[in-house]
């Protein structure tokens, strides 16, 4: 019977993922409904007795794998996109979420402070189990994605350890605040230290041995999988509920070092995470007891409102004050904070522990509150994440570059630095791997084929650029982008000067490679200072053209606007609505629809853009 149940859960999990990919809806929405369908509330195939005492072990290892994979994808480069926001969100933000949720639970459900703090600790977690599926279907800028991903991994670890400390110190024991802080710090230290130790052992194992090309990828996958299990089980042996901290730390360390067979490890982790996520989410969703949820009544709805519409927005707005987040991006982060596997699995465990202590009402309150928040946030926030993103217009349109050679790769890196959402397409596996190692998004495929461009979400692209060394290929890419997908802007590298007219006849913005090289060489000889500065673009300097959308600046002369332009930045060009471009004088007045080109230091140009072209 158990084998049949496991097979049904896996089948539902995989089917949910396939359906989610087809409909472009986060898979967790289908997973939770699949779990409810086979649970005691509907078909009754799965109950709390189905897995017996083995459920906690299965959940633990599964969560360890998922958090290891989440930590592996947390690159330092991505975390540096929003360091202040992420640090605030995972420290002060986590504290506010914990205490604010505890206060709401105590106020609306009239329970003890200890139970309120236990529920609050559980609901700190968002987690990669719910954030990952959202980011697979919702495209956001890197600094927004890095905050969601970093918060998910770090706060999952925080919540899992804090809830154990609260239970053992404040509920099962008789300790106070100092004991609580000490217990939390000890468990966190054990988990992080053991995870780093295991990561070092895995790195040594993969770097000290000579693998053949045939066996290397397989051995790398097996060693990494063994590392995940050892990190989790070893830390758990030292102190309970430290295993997921060890797994997350091991993944983070290995993801930020030069690891052999890196791409093979990524593919393996992605595949195994899909399986365990599907299984465990469906299994835990089947344990939702709607009687516990219904028993909360209107007080439960009040807690949902307090957490999602008061506490979450407050935390986001306090955490993102000094970063480059737009108003709509902050609204999106406020509206998307679903809870996942950590609260579900740990709530199930401690509901049983509370019953064992002779506190059945509090056990029912704990399970009901946590599962209500999970259900509400997964359905409303994860389920409608794409619609929320579209309504707030936080999804940047994509720039697709076909050709991952030196030209395409350099262009992609420059556009990424300018905040563009870039995707490289190349049919050479080595080119794709090189792009990914540099932190770029890339897919393998022939850019002249419609199904490959569809896989690259060309329907969401504003620009397609052909950058291969073959003009025939580039011309086919441009024709496909224009005639089949009606892309707004199509540009191409032209390798042979005699082919420029063919591209321009299509309305393609053609860049003659030989002329561009000649112009650059002329600059080196005739304008050496300008050439040196242009080569520094993307590191210290920047040039950006934007439309003036700040209504309070329209009608003012350039001379008066100099006070609005940061030091280290100047207005180089002024382009009017009729297409004429000129170098502005102090007497030129800005008109509605004008475009301004700023030149200067990168941070100064960025501040000027925000003043002349505010996002909100």
């Amino acid at each position: 019977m158990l084998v049949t149940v496991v097979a049904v859960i896996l089948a539902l999990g995989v089917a949910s993922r396939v359906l989610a990919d087809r409909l472009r809806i986060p898979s967790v929405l289908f997973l939770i409904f699949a779990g409810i369908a086979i649970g005691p509330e509907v078909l009754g195939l799965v109950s709390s007795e189905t897995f017996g005492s083995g459920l906690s072990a299965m959940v633990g290892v599964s969560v360890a794998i998922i958090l290891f994979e989440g930590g592996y994808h947390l690159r330092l480069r991505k975390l540096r996109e929003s360091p202040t926001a992420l640090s605030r969100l995972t420290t002060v933000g986590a504290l506010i979420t914990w205490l604010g949720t505890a206060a709401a639970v105590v106020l609306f459900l009239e329970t003890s402070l200890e139970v309120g703090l236990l529920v609050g600790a559980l609901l700190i977690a968002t987690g990669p189990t719910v954030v990952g599926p959202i980011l697979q279907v919702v495209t956001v800028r890197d600094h927004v994605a890095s905050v969601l991903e970093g918060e998910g991994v770090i706060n999952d670890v925080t919540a899992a350890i804090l809830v154990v400390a609260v239970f053992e110190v404040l509920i099962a024991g008789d300790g106070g605040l100092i004991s609580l802080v000490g217990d939390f710090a000890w468990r966190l230290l054990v988990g992080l230290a053991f995870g780093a130790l295991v990561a070092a052992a895995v790195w040594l194992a993969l770097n000290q041995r000579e693998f053949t090309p045939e066996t290397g990828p397989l051995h790398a996958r097996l060693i990494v999988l063994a590392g995940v299990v050892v990190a989790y089980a070893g830390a758990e042996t030292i102190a309970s509920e430290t295993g997921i901290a060890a797994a997350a730390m091991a993944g983070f360390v290995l993801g930020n070092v030069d690891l052999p067979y890196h791409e093979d490890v990524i593919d393996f982790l992605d595949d195994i995470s899909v399986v365990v996520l599907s299984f465990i989410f469906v299994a835990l969703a089947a344990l939702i007891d709607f009687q516990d949820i219904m028993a909360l009544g209107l007080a439960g709805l009040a807690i949902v409102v307090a957490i999602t519409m008061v506490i979450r927005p407050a935390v986001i707005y306090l955490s993102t004050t000094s970063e480059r987040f737009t108003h709509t991006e902050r609204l999106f982060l406020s509206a998307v904070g679903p809870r996942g596997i950590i609260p579900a699995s740990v709530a199930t465990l401690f509901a049983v522990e509370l019953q064992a202590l002779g506190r059945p009402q509090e056990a029912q309150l704990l399970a009901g509150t946590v599962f209500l928040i999970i259900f509400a946030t997964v359905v409303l926030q994860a389920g409608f994440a794409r619609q929320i993103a579209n309504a707030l217009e936080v999804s940047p349109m994509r720039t697709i570059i076909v050709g991952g050679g030196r030209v395409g790769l350099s262009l992609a890196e420059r556009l990424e630095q300018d905040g563009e959402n870039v995707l490289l397409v190349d049919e050479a596996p080595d080119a794709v791997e090189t792009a990914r190692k540099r932190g770029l998004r890339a897919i393998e495929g022939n850019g002249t084929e419609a199904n490959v461009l569809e896989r690259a979400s060309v329907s969401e692209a504003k620009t397609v650029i052909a950058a291969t060394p073959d003009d025939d290929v580039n011309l086919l890419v441009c024709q496909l982008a224009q005639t089949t997908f009606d892309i707004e802007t199509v540009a191409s590298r032209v390798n042979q000067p005699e082919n420029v007219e063919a591209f321009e006849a299509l309305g393609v913005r053609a860049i003659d490679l030989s002329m561009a090289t000649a112009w650059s060489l002329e600059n080196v000889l005739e304008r050496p200072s300008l050439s040196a500065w242009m080569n520094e673009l993307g590191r210290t300097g920047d040039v950006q053209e934007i439309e003036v959308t700040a209504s309070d600046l329209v009608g003012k002369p350039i001379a008066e606007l100099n006070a609005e332009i940061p030091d280290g930045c100047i207005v180089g060009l002024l382009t009017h609505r009729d297409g004429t471009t000129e170098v502005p004088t102090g007497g030129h007045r800005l008109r509605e629809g004008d475009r301004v080109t700023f030149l200067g230091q990168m941070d100064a140009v960025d501040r000027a853009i925000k003043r002349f072209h505010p996002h909100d």
Side-chain angles (χ1 to χ4, degrees):
M1 178 62 182
L2 182 58
V3 174
T4 303
V5 170
V6 170
V8 170
I9 291 176
L10 283 174
L12 286 173
V14 173
S16 297
R17 179 58 184 266
V18 172
L19 183 61
D21 289 344
R22 179 166 296 182
L23 298 179
R24 294 188 59 76
I25 295 174
S27 58
V28 289
L29 181 65
F30 297 104
L31 292 173
I32 198 169
F33 281 124
I36 292 171
I38 64 173
E41 301 293 333
V42 184
L43 297 177
L45 296 179
V46 179
S47 67
S48 56
E49 291 78 27
T50 301
F51 301 101
S53 58
L55 181 62
S56 60
M58 288 189 292
V59 170
V61 174
S62 298
V63 171
I65 292 172
I66 293 166
L67 281 178
F68 181 92
E69 191 248 357
Y72 197 87
H73 286 288
L74 274 186
R75 302 300 175 84
L76 285 172
R77 181 191 66 82
K78 292 180 69 175
L79 296 182
R80 291 191 186 105
E81 291 284 342
S82 308
T84 304
L86 183 58
S87 61
R88 287 181 180 177
L89 198 57
T90 55
T91 53
V92 177
L95 181 64
I96 293 173
T97 302
W98 176 35
L99 299 179
T101 303
V105 170
V106 172
L107 175 65
F108 294 116
L109 295 178
E110 299 179 351
T111 188
S112 65
L113 178 60
E114 292 82 3
V115 173
L117 290 171
L118 188 67
V119 175
L122 277 169
L123 295 176
I124 290 173
T126 52
T129 59
V130 283
V131 170
I134 290 174
L135 294 179
Q136 287 173 355
V137 300
V138 177
T139 302
V140 292
R141 298 192 186 277
D142 281 349
H143 58 275
V144 178
S146 66
V147 162
L148 284 173
E149 291 173 332
E151 177 196 21
V153 173
I154 296 171
N155 279 357
D156 255 17
V157 172
T158 301
I161 295 176
L162 182 59
V163 71
V164 175
V166 169
F167 184 84
E168 295 196 356
V169 174
L170 300 182
I171 295 179
D174 56 358
L177 179 61
I178 296 177
S179 299
L180 177 65
V181 173
D183 191 82
F184 173 80
W186 160 248
R187 293 176 191 275
L188 182 62
L189 180 62
V190 167
L192 298 182
F194 197 84
L197 185 64
V198 170
V202 170
W203 184 85
L204 286 172
L206 290 175
N207 279 277
Q208 297 301 317
R209 288 193 58 184
E210 291 291 335
F211 296 106
T212 66
E214 295 76 18
T215 62
L218 175 61
H219 288 165
R221 295 177 181 188
L222 293 176
I223 290 172
V224 168
L225 179 59
V228 178
V229 177
V230 169
Y232 173 75
E236 286 289 316
T237 303
I238 300 173
S240 63
E241 299 303 322
T242 59
I244 63 170
M249 185 63 177
F252 177 71
V253 172
L254 290 174
N256 285 279
V257 298
D258 187 12
L259 196 70
Y261 307 104
H262 171 75
E263 291 300 319
D264 295 289
V265 171
I266 284 181
D267 292 340
F268 172 67
L269 290 174
D270 288 344
D271 291 341
I272 196 172
S273 292
V274 168
V275 175
V276 296
L277 171 61
S278 299
F279 174 79
I280 214 65
F281 216 106
V282 173
L284 289 175
L287 302 181
I288 295 178
D289 190 336
F290 282 90
Q291 290 184 348
D292 289 346
I293 294 176
M294 296 300 294
L296 299 176
L298 293 178
L301 295 178
I303 293 173
V304 172
V305 171
I307 292 173
T308 59
M309 301 184 69
V310 178
I311 298 173
R312 176 70 178 179
V315 166
I316 292 299
Y317 272 76
L318 287 172
S319 300
T320 57
T321 53
S322 61
E323 299 286 347
R324 51 185 302 179
F325 291 88
T326 67
H327 177 61
T328 54
E329 286 172 345
R330 296 167 87 183
L331 284 175
F332 176 76
L333 288 170
S334 299
V336 178
R339 272 59 175 183
I341 283 178
I342 290 292
S345 59
V346 182
T348 303
L349 171 64
F350 284 110
V352 174
E353 295 288 341
L354 283 171
Q355 287 181 335
L357 292 175
R359 303 166 76 167
Q361 290 184 334
E362 292 175 335
Q364 182 185 41
L365 180 149
L366 171 71
T369 303
V370 171
F371 278 112
L372 173 62
I373 297 298
I374 293 171
F375 185 77
T377 56
V378 166
V379 172
L380 298 177
Q381 297 184 341
F384 292 95
R386 191 168 176 230
Q387 288 76 13
I388 294 171
N390 290 338
L392 295 175
E393 298 182 347
V394 298
S395 296
M397 296 191 73
R398 177 164 282 171
T399 295
I400 297 175
I401 300 176
V402 178
R406 285 176 295 179
V407 173
L409 199 59
S410 299
L411 177 60
E413 289 180 323
R414 287 180 176 271
L415 291 176
E416 281 278 342
Q417 290 172 352
D418 291 338
E420 296 291 332
N421 175 30
V422 181
L423 178 70
L424 270 172
V425 179
D426 199 293
E427 58 183 345
D430 290 345
V432 172
E433 183 176 355
T434 299
R436 289 175 177 172
K437 283 182 178 179
R438 296 196 187 184
L440 298 168
R441 289 175 290 275
I443 65 170
E444 185 178 333
N446 187 340
T448 64
E449 297 177 0
N451 64 321
V452 172
L453 291 183
E454 287 174 350
R455 187 155 53 92
S457 300
V458 69
S459 60
E460 299 174 3
K462 65 175 180 180
T463 304
V464 171
I465 302 171
T468 79
D470 188 325
D471 283 349
D472 290 335
V473 171
N474 291 342
L475 194 61
L476 284 173
V477 171
C478 294
Q479 287 176 326
L480 187 62
Q482 285 191 324
T483 59
T484 303
F485 298 107
D486 194 26
I487 299 301
E488 177 184 340
T489 302
V490 179
S492 179
R493 157 189 178 178
V494 182
N495 302 281
Q496 301 298 326
E498 61 268 21
N499 294 332
V500 170
E501 290 186 4
F503 284 87
E504 291 181 341
L506 287 175
V508 174
R509 300 183 183 182
I511 308 299
D512 183 343
L513 200 60
S514 59
M515 287 299 296
T517 303
W519 182 79
S520 297
L521 290 172
E522 182 192 2
N523 278 337
V524 170
L525 297 174
E526 303 294 335
R527 294 170 285 274
S529 297
L530 174 64
S531 176
W533 184 78
M534 291 292 289
N535 285 331
E536 284 294 310
L537 283 179
R539 292 190 287 271
T540 59
D542 201 3
V543 178
Q544 293 287 340
E545 178 183 332
I546 52 93
E547 180 182 351
V548 178
T549 58
S551 57
D552 59 318
L553 301 183
V554 174
K556 293 184 178 180
I558 295 293
E560 185 179 337
L561 294 176
N562 281 334
E564 303 283 350
I565 301 173
D567 292 337
C569 175
I570 63 170
V571 177
L573 294 172
L574 182 63
T575 303
H576 301 293
R577 292 182 65 180
D578 59 8
T580 59
T581 299
E582 57 188 334
V583 176
T585 65
H588 276 102
R589 292 181 179 272
L590 285 186
R591 292 177 292 182
E592 186 178 353
D594 281 352
R595 299 185 67 84
V596 172
T597 300
F598 292 110
L599 300 87
Q601 297 174 356
M602 187 179 295
D603 58 342
V605 171
D606 185 57
R607 293 199 304 274
I609 290 172
K610 290 181 178 179
R611 177 65 185 94
F612 281 69
H613 181 66
H615 292 278
D616 42 351

PDB file of all heavy atoms in Angstrom, residues 7 12 80 91 99 102 123 126-127 203 223 225 289 312 324 354 385 393 548 567 569 587:
ATOM      1  N   ALA A   7       3.908   6.087  -5.290  1.00  0.00           N
ATOM      2  CA  ALA A   7       3.805   6.192  -6.747  1.00  0.00           C
ATOM      3  C   ALA A   7       2.759   7.224  -7.153  1.00  0.00           C
ATOM      4  O   ALA A   7       2.977   8.027  -8.084  1.00  0.00           O
ATOM      5  CB  ALA A   7       3.464   4.825  -7.342  1.00  0.00           C
ATOM      6  N   LEU A  12       1.433  12.541  -9.309  1.00  0.00           N
ATOM      7  CA  LEU A  12       0.733  13.822  -9.183  1.00  0.00           C
ATOM      8  C   LEU A  12       1.719  14.985  -9.171  1.00  0.00           C
ATOM      9  O   LEU A  12       1.444  16.048  -9.751  1.00  0.00           O
ATOM     10  CB  LEU A  12      -0.106  13.836  -7.902  1.00  0.00           C
ATOM     11  CG  LEU A  12      -1.380  12.995  -7.913  1.00  0.00           C
ATOM     12  CD1 LEU A  12      -2.003  12.960  -6.529  1.00  0.00           C
ATOM     13  CD2 LEU A  12      -2.376  13.550  -8.923  1.00  0.00           C
ATOM     14  N   ARG A  80      25.288  40.430  -3.991  1.00  0.00           N
ATOM     15  CA  ARG A  80      25.792  41.800  -3.958  1.00  0.00           C
ATOM     16  C   ARG A  80      24.875  42.757  -4.702  1.00  0.00           C
ATOM     17  O   ARG A  80      25.085  43.973  -4.666  1.00  0.00           O
ATOM     18  CB  ARG A  80      27.198  41.854  -4.569  1.00  0.00           C
ATOM     19  CG  ARG A  80      28.256  41.151  -3.717  1.00  0.00           C
ATOM     20  CD  ARG A  80      29.658  41.475  -4.223  1.00  0.00           C
ATOM     21  NE  ARG A  80      30.661  40.708  -3.511  1.00  0.00           N
ATOM     22  CZ  ARG A  80      31.305  39.658  -4.022  1.00  0.00           C
ATOM     23  NH1 ARG A  80      31.030  39.275  -5.260  1.00  0.00           N
ATOM     24  NH2 ARG A  80      32.207  39.018  -3.314  1.00  0.00           N
ATOM     25  N   THR A  91      17.531  39.815   9.019  1.00  0.00           N
ATOM     26  CA  THR A  91      17.860  40.097  10.428  1.00  0.00           C
ATOM     27  C   THR A  91      16.708  40.870  11.081  1.00  0.00           C
ATOM     28  O   THR A  91      15.857  40.273  11.733  1.00  0.00           O
ATOM     29  CB  THR A  91      19.184  40.872  10.534  1.00  0.00           C
ATOM     30  OG1 THR A  91      19.130  42.040   9.687  1.00  0.00           O
ATOM     31  CG2 THR A  91      20.358  40.008  10.114  1.00  0.00           C
ATOM     32  N   LEU A  99       8.089  38.622  15.830  1.00  0.00           N
ATOM     33  CA  LEU A  99       7.368  39.263  16.937  1.00  0.00           C
ATOM     34  C   LEU A  99       6.001  39.776  16.493  1.00  0.00           C
ATOM     35  O   LEU A  99       5.024  39.704  17.257  1.00  0.00           O
ATOM     36  CB  LEU A  99       8.212  40.405  17.506  1.00  0.00           C
ATOM     37  CG  LEU A  99       9.583  39.998  18.093  1.00  0.00           C
ATOM     38  CD1 LEU A  99      10.327  41.218  18.611  1.00  0.00           C
ATOM     39  CD2 LEU A  99       9.406  38.962  19.195  1.00  0.00           C
ATOM     40  N   ALA A 102       3.706  36.794  16.208  1.00  0.00           N
ATOM     41  CA  ALA A 102       3.393  36.334  17.565  1.00  0.00           C
ATOM     42  C   ALA A 102       2.346  37.230  18.215  1.00  0.00           C
ATOM     43  O   ALA A 102       1.393  36.748  18.849  1.00  0.00           O
ATOM     44  CB  ALA A 102       4.666  36.296  18.409  1.00  0.00           C
ATOM     45  N   LEU A 123       6.590  30.964  10.915  1.00  0.00           N
ATOM     46  CA  LEU A 123       6.146  31.727   9.749  1.00  0.00           C
ATOM     47  C   LEU A 123       7.138  32.788   9.294  1.00  0.00           C
ATOM     48  O   LEU A 123       6.827  33.611   8.432  1.00  0.00           O
ATOM     49  CB  LEU A 123       4.778  32.353  10.042  1.00  0.00           C
ATOM     50  CG  LEU A 123       3.660  31.314  10.234  1.00  0.00           C
ATOM     51  CD1 LEU A 123       2.352  31.989  10.616  1.00  0.00           C
ATOM     52  CD2 LEU A 123       3.481  30.492   8.966  1.00  0.00           C
ATOM     53  N   THR A 126      10.018  31.679   4.187  1.00  0.00           N
ATOM     54  CA  THR A 126       9.362  31.629   2.872  1.00  0.00           C
ATOM     55  C   THR A 126       9.889  30.377   2.173  1.00  0.00           C
ATOM     56  O   THR A 126       9.212  29.387   2.053  1.00  0.00           O
ATOM     57  CB  THR A 126       9.628  32.899   2.056  1.00  0.00           C
ATOM     58  OG1 THR A 126      11.029  33.150   2.009  1.00  0.00           O
ATOM     59  CG2 THR A 126       8.927  34.083   2.675  1.00  0.00           C
ATOM     60  N   GLY A 127      11.133  30.408   1.743  1.00  0.00           N
ATOM     61  CA  GLY A 127      11.780  29.186   1.281  1.00  0.00           C
ATOM     62  C   GLY A 127      11.855  29.000  -0.214  1.00  0.00           C
ATOM     63  O   GLY A 127      10.979  29.433  -0.962  1.00  0.00           O
ATOM     64  N   TRP A 203      34.759  19.304  -1.976  1.00  0.00           N
ATOM     65  CA  TRP A 203      35.653  20.001  -2.912  1.00  0.00           C
ATOM     66  C   TRP A 203      36.968  19.251  -3.056  1.00  0.00           C
ATOM     67  O   TRP A 203      37.476  19.066  -4.171  1.00  0.00           O
ATOM     68  CB  TRP A 203      35.896  21.419  -2.416  1.00  0.00           C
ATOM     69  CG  TRP A 203      36.731  22.242  -3.359  1.00  0.00           C
ATOM     70  CD1 TRP A 203      36.307  22.947  -4.440  1.00  0.00           C
ATOM     71  CD2 TRP A 203      38.155  22.422  -3.302  1.00  0.00           C
ATOM     72  NE1 TRP A 203      37.371  23.564  -5.059  1.00  0.00           N
ATOM     73  CE2 TRP A 203      38.517  23.253  -4.388  1.00  0.00           C
ATOM     74  CE3 TRP A 203      39.149  21.963  -2.436  1.00  0.00           C
ATOM     75  CZ2 TRP A 203      39.832  23.637  -4.622  1.00  0.00           C
ATOM     76  CZ3 TRP A 203      40.462  22.335  -2.680  1.00  0.00           C
ATOM     77  CH2 TRP A 203      40.796  23.158  -3.761  1.00  0.00           C
ATOM     78  N   ILE A 223      29.074  12.106  -5.401  1.00  0.00           N
ATOM     79  CA  ILE A 223      29.802  12.710  -4.278  1.00  0.00           C
ATOM     80  C   ILE A 223      29.018  13.873  -3.693  1.00  0.00           C
ATOM     81  O   ILE A 223      28.924  14.041  -2.476  1.00  0.00           O
ATOM     82  CB  ILE A 223      31.202  13.150  -4.740  1.00  0.00           C
ATOM     83  CG1 ILE A 223      32.082  11.924  -5.026  1.00  0.00           C
ATOM     84  CG2 ILE A 223      31.869  14.033  -3.690  1.00  0.00           C
ATOM     85  CD1 ILE A 223      33.411  12.258  -5.672  1.00  0.00           C
ATOM     86  N   LEU A 225      25.715  14.334  -3.846  1.00  0.00           N
ATOM     87  CA  LEU A 225      24.547  13.796  -3.147  1.00  0.00           C
ATOM     88  C   LEU A 225      24.941  13.233  -1.787  1.00  0.00           C
ATOM     89  O   LEU A 225      24.246  13.466  -0.783  1.00  0.00           O
ATOM     90  CB  LEU A 225      23.886  12.707  -3.999  1.00  0.00           C
ATOM     91  CG  LEU A 225      22.651  12.028  -3.385  1.00  0.00           C
ATOM     92  CD1 LEU A 225      21.568  13.064  -3.100  1.00  0.00           C
ATOM     93  CD2 LEU A 225      22.122  10.938  -4.310  1.00  0.00           C
ATOM     94  N   ASP A 289      -5.485  19.662   7.800  1.00  0.00           N
ATOM     95  CA  ASP A 289      -6.747  19.349   8.476  1.00  0.00           C
ATOM     96  C   ASP A 289      -7.619  20.599   8.441  1.00  0.00           C
ATOM     97  O   ASP A 289      -7.360  21.567   9.166  1.00  0.00           O
ATOM     98  CB  ASP A 289      -6.473  18.910   9.923  1.00  0.00           C
ATOM     99  CG  ASP A 289      -7.721  18.352  10.597  1.00  0.00           C
ATOM    100  OD1 ASP A 289      -8.846  18.700  10.165  1.00  0.00           O
ATOM    101  OD2 ASP A 289      -7.577  17.572  11.560  1.00  0.00           O
ATOM    102  N   ARG A 312       4.196  41.949   6.357  1.00  0.00           N
ATOM    103  CA  ARG A 312       5.059  41.762   5.182  1.00  0.00           C
ATOM    104  C   ARG A 312       5.387  43.083   4.488  1.00  0.00           C
ATOM    105  O   ARG A 312       6.565  43.372   4.230  1.00  0.00           O
ATOM    106  CB  ARG A 312       4.395  40.778   4.209  1.00  0.00           C
ATOM    107  CG  ARG A 312       5.146  40.566   2.896  1.00  0.00           C
ATOM    108  CD  ARG A 312       6.427  39.806   3.093  1.00  0.00           C
ATOM    109  NE  ARG A 312       7.116  39.566   1.821  1.00  0.00           N
ATOM    110  CZ  ARG A 312       8.272  38.934   1.705  1.00  0.00           C
ATOM    111  NH1 ARG A 312       8.862  38.468   2.789  1.00  0.00           N
ATOM    112  NH2 ARG A 312       8.831  38.754   0.536  1.00  0.00           N
ATOM    113  N   ARG A 324      18.100  50.240  -4.846  1.00  0.00           N
ATOM    114  CA  ARG A 324      17.542  50.766  -6.103  1.00  0.00           C
ATOM    115  C   ARG A 324      16.250  50.050  -6.477  1.00  0.00           C
ATOM    116  O   ARG A 324      16.057  49.625  -7.606  1.00  0.00           O
ATOM    117  CB  ARG A 324      18.568  50.650  -7.214  1.00  0.00           C
ATOM    118  CG  ARG A 324      19.188  49.284  -7.357  1.00  0.00           C
ATOM    119  CD  ARG A 324      20.273  49.260  -8.399  1.00  0.00           C
ATOM    120  NE  ARG A 324      19.791  49.681  -9.699  1.00  0.00           N
ATOM    121  CZ  ARG A 324      20.570  49.758 -10.772  1.00  0.00           C
ATOM    122  NH1 ARG A 324      21.835  49.452 -10.694  1.00  0.00           N
ATOM    123  NH2 ARG A 324      20.071  50.137 -11.937  1.00  0.00           N
ATOM    124  N   LEU A 354       3.184  19.106  21.327  1.00  0.00           N
ATOM    125  CA  LEU A 354       2.283  19.812  22.234  1.00  0.00           C
ATOM    126  C   LEU A 354       1.203  18.883  22.786  1.00  0.00           C
ATOM    127  O   LEU A 354       0.824  18.976  23.965  1.00  0.00           O
ATOM    128  CB  LEU A 354       1.641  21.002  21.514  1.00  0.00           C
ATOM    129  CG  LEU A 354       2.521  22.244  21.330  1.00  0.00           C
ATOM    130  CD1 LEU A 354       1.830  23.255  20.423  1.00  0.00           C
ATOM    131  CD2 LEU A 354       2.848  22.877  22.671  1.00  0.00           C
ATOM    132  N   ALA A 385       1.152  35.105  -8.718  1.00  0.00           N
ATOM    133  CA  ALA A 385       2.388  35.894  -8.778  1.00  0.00           C
ATOM    134  C   ALA A 385       2.603  36.516 -10.153  1.00  0.00           C
ATOM    135  O   ALA A 385       3.022  37.674 -10.264  1.00  0.00           O
ATOM    136  CB  ALA A 385       3.580  35.020  -8.396  1.00  0.00           C
ATOM    137  N   GLU A 393       3.820  45.741 -13.450  1.00  0.00           N
ATOM    138  CA  GLU A 393       4.808  45.989 -14.501  1.00  0.00           C
ATOM    139  C   GLU A 393       6.240  45.932 -13.963  1.00  0.00           C
ATOM    140  O   GLU A 393       7.076  46.808 -14.211  1.00  0.00           O
ATOM    141  CB  GLU A 393       4.564  47.341 -15.169  1.00  0.00           C
ATOM    142  CG  GLU A 393       3.204  47.427 -15.866  1.00  0.00           C
ATOM    143  CD  GLU A 393       2.977  48.761 -16.562  1.00  0.00           C
ATOM    144  OE1 GLU A 393       3.745  49.713 -16.310  1.00  0.00           O
ATOM    145  OE2 GLU A 393       2.025  48.863 -17.347  1.00  0.00           O
ATOM    146  N   VAL A 548      12.477  61.722 -20.932  1.00  0.00           N
ATOM    147  CA  VAL A 548      12.172  62.543 -19.755  1.00  0.00           C
ATOM    148  C   VAL A 548      10.712  62.313 -19.371  1.00  0.00           C
ATOM    149  O   VAL A 548       9.806  62.649 -20.137  1.00  0.00           O
ATOM    150  CB  VAL A 548      12.434  64.035 -20.029  1.00  0.00           C
ATOM    151  CG1 VAL A 548      12.059  64.869 -18.811  1.00  0.00           C
ATOM    152  CG2 VAL A 548      13.880  64.256 -20.410  1.00  0.00           C
ATOM    153  N   ASP A 567      26.791  65.711  -9.639  1.00  0.00           N
ATOM    154  CA  ASP A 567      28.181  65.953 -10.038  1.00  0.00           C
ATOM    155  C   ASP A 567      28.748  64.682 -10.661  1.00  0.00           C
ATOM    156  O   ASP A 567      28.445  63.572 -10.237  1.00  0.00           O
ATOM    157  CB  ASP A 567      29.017  66.347  -8.820  1.00  0.00           C
ATOM    158  CG  ASP A 567      28.619  67.706  -8.269  1.00  0.00           C
ATOM    159  OD1 ASP A 567      28.047  68.501  -9.042  1.00  0.00           O
ATOM    160  OD2 ASP A 567      28.874  67.962  -7.076  1.00  0.00           O
ATOM    161  N   CYS A 569      28.335  64.033 -13.922  1.00  0.00           N
ATOM    162  CA  CYS A 569      27.451  63.645 -15.024  1.00  0.00           C
ATOM    163  C   CYS A 569      27.056  64.897 -15.804  1.00  0.00           C
ATOM    164  O   CYS A 569      26.825  65.957 -15.211  1.00  0.00           O
ATOM    165  CB  CYS A 569      26.221  62.937 -14.471  1.00  0.00           C
ATOM    166  SG  CYS A 569      24.965  62.529 -15.694  1.00  0.00           S
ATOM    167  N   GLY A 587      20.209  77.332 -22.873  1.00  0.00           N
ATOM    168  CA  GLY A 587      18.895  77.896 -23.150  1.00  0.00           C
ATOM    169  C   GLY A 587      17.879  76.897 -23.661  1.00  0.00           C
ATOM    170  O   GLY A 587      16.681  77.227 -23.754  1.00  0.00           O
TER     171      GLY A 587
END
